[in-house]
C-alpha cells in the first residue's frame, strides 16, 4: 500500500557500504523501519543520506506492506528544514541525546498521532528558541504522558511528590521531593 505521511527520523544505521536502515516515527503508522538502498552513491539518487539526520522532519511516500519487515521509500523530502539546530553545538548535542533516547524508548506499537504531533511541535519550538538547555529533560518528562506513566494525583491537596511510589501525596516521606521541587514537576 502506498502511503504519504510526515515522519521524524529516530535513527539511521549504515548497512554495508552503500545503504541505510532508517527508523522513523510516522504520523500515519507509528514506528516504521525503512531500507534505503544506495543512500551514499548514485548520481540520480533522490534519497540522499543527509536527509536522514537525527530528528529531521520529513515528508515521505512509502510502500507499507505491514508484515513486520523493513519498508521501501518511494520519495523523500524535507518537511521542516531546521534553521538553528545543526548550527549550535549545544542544540546538536541535545538532538543526538534525544534521538538515542527515542530509539531505545519507542517500539513498533502502532500509530500514535498525539505523540507525533507533540514531538513535531517540540522540535520546531526547540529550533526557534535560544534558552533551551533543559529542553531534553522537559521532553523526556512530557513523553511519560504518551508512554503511560506520568505521575497521577497532582491535585492541590497533594503537594509532595513521592519518588518511590510515583504519585503526588499530601504526606511527606523520606522519598518525597520538597514542595518547591514537587511544584516544578506539577508545572511540566
Amino acid at each position: 500500500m502506498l502511503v504519504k505521511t510526515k515522519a521524524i527520523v529516530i535513527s539511521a544505521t549504515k548497512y554495508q557500504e552503500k545503504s541505510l536502515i532508517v527508523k522513523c516515527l510516522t504520523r500515519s503508522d507509528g514506528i516504521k523501519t525503512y531500507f534505503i538502498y544506495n543512500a551514499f552513491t548514485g548520481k540520480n539518487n533522490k534519497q540522499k543520506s543527509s536527509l536522514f539526520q537525527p530528528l529531521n522532519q520529513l515528508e515521505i511516500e512509502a510502500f507499507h506492506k505491514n508484515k513486520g519487515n523493513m519498508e521501501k521509500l518511494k520519495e523523500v523530502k524535507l518537511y521542516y528544514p531546521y534553521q538553528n539546530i545543526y548550527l549550535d553545538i549545544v542544540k546538536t548535542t541535545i538532538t543526538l541525546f534525544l534521538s538515542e533516547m527515542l530509539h531505545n524508548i519507542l517500539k513498533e506499537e502502532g500509530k500514535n498521532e498525539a505523540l507525533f504531533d507533540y514531538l513535531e511541535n517540540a522540535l520546531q519550538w526547540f529550533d526557534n528558541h535560544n534558552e533551551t538547555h533543559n529542553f531534553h529533560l522537559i521532553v523526556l518528562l512530557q513523553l511519560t504522558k504518551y508512554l503511560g506513566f506520568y505521575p497521577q494525583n497532582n491535585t492541590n491537596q497533594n503537594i509532595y511528590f513521592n519518588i518511590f511510589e510515583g504519585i503526588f501525596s499530601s504526606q511527606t516521606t523520606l522519598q518525597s521531593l520538597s514542595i518547591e521541587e514537587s511544584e516544578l514537576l506539577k508545572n511540566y
Side-chain angles (χ1 to χ4, degrees), residues 7 39 73 82 85 99 107 114-115 127 136 142 147 180:
L73 289 172
Y82 293 128
I85 287 180
S99 173
K107 303 298 175 195
L115 172 62
D127 185 45
H136 57 296
Q142 292 295 317
L147 300 176
E180 295 82 17

Side-chain angles (χ1 to χ4, degrees), residues 49-111:
S49 60
S50 61
L51 289 173
F52 303 105
Q53 296 299 314
L55 302 183
N56 262 359
Q57 296 181 26
L58 307 173
E59 188 171 2
I60 62 171
E61 201 170 330
F63 297 102
H64 287 180
K65 295 181 182 176
N66 296 325
K67 293 184 178 180
N69 297 331
M70 287 185 265
E71 313 291 355
K72 290 190 85 171
L73 289 172
K74 180 181 178 189
E75 188 176 327
V76 179
K77 62 182 176 180
L78 205 54
Y79 170 71
Y80 181 86
Y82 293 128
Q83 304 299 315
N84 298 311
I85 287 180
Y86 297 118
L87 300 176
D88 183 348
I89 189 69
V90 174
K91 285 186 176 185
T92 302
T93 305
I94 290 172
T95 301
L96 292 173
F97 171 77
L98 283 175
S99 173
E100 188 68 28
M101 290 300 294
L102 291 170
H103 175 73
N104 290 311
I105 291 171
L106 300 177
K107 303 298 175 195
E108 298 184 30
E109 296 177 1
K111 101 178 183 180

Side-chain angles (χ1 to χ4, degrees), residues 138-159:
I138 295 167
V139 167
L140 292 176
L141 180 63
Q142 292 295 317
L143 274 177
T144 61
K145 291 179 182 177
Y146 301 98
L147 300 176
F149 58 95
Y150 187 75
Q152 299 296 313
N153 300 331
N154 56 352
T155 62
N156 290 337
Q157 297 87 4
N158 299 330
I159 57 173

Side-chain angles (χ1 to χ4, degrees), residues 26-45:
T26 65
R27 190 166 202 286
S28 65
D29 293 295
I31 295 290
K32 286 290 186 182
T33 305
Y34 298 98
F35 185 76
I36 315 297
Y37 184 72
N38 282 343
F40 298 100
T41 60
K43 293 180 182 178
N44 296 328
N45 189 0

